[in-house]
Amino acid sequence: KQWYQRRVTITAGEIKHNPLNYDAWFDLLRLLEADGSLDDVRDTYERAIANIPLVASKKGWRRYIYLWINYALFEELEAEDVEKTREVYKGCLDVIPHKKFTFGKIWL
């Protein structure tokens, strides 16, 4: 448990230093999904997706979109909340700048 708390603290510090470090968000979410409460995981996903990329390139958005995909999968498979899954999916569709690019994985 001490290792877990230390790792959460370190990863949260990385995120505080750079909120657009999506890999750090993935690390934190992985930790919380393994040992955190449903509310903690949801709150962390919401904080992560609030950090919209500043660049307009598809490459810059790729990791961000995977946060949305993982969030939707979490809601569907772990939380088993169909309505929240739909809400997350719609939120993802709404945030993508479709006139600049799209993501095929979203349309599966």
Side-chain angles (χ1 to χ4, degrees):
K1 194 70 176 177
Q2 189 177 23
W3 170 88
Y4 169 82
Q5 192 54 49
R6 196 169 119 238
R7 188 70 198 132
V8 167
T9 301
I10 290 169
T11 307
E14 291 173 12
I15 290 168
K16 186 176 182 181
H17 177 71
N18 179 9
L20 297 176
N21 181 350
Y22 302 120
D23 290 328
W25 283 109
F26 280 113
D27 290 345
L28 181 58
L29 286 159
R30 208 170 300 118
L31 289 166
L32 294 176
E33 285 180 13
D35 203 32
S37 74
L38 186 69
D39 289 337
D40 288 343
V41 175
R42 278 186 174 145
D43 177 64
T44 304
Y45 269 115
E46 290 293 330
R47 289 186 301 123
I49 63 175
N51 295 286
I52 299 172
L54 302 175
V55 296
S57 70
K58 184 173 181 175
K59 183 179 178 186
W61 277 70
R62 185 170 287 122
R63 297 296 287 163
Y64 176 71
I65 294 301
Y66 275 106
L67 280 171
W68 281 94
I69 292 169
N70 284 2
Y71 188 11
L73 289 170
F74 169 79
E75 290 295 346
E76 180 181 11
L77 303 175
E78 300 298 324
E80 298 178 349
D81 187 336
V82 175
E83 286 305 312
K84 184 69 175 173
T85 302
R86 286 185 182 124
E87 182 183 311
V88 171
Y89 180 71
K90 182 174 179 342
C92 180
L93 292 177
D94 290 345
V95 77
I96 295 173
H98 295 283
K99 291 190 175 171
K100 294 183 178 157
F101 49 80
T102 189
F103 289 88
K105 292 198 180 339
I106 294 300
W107 300 106
L108 297 178

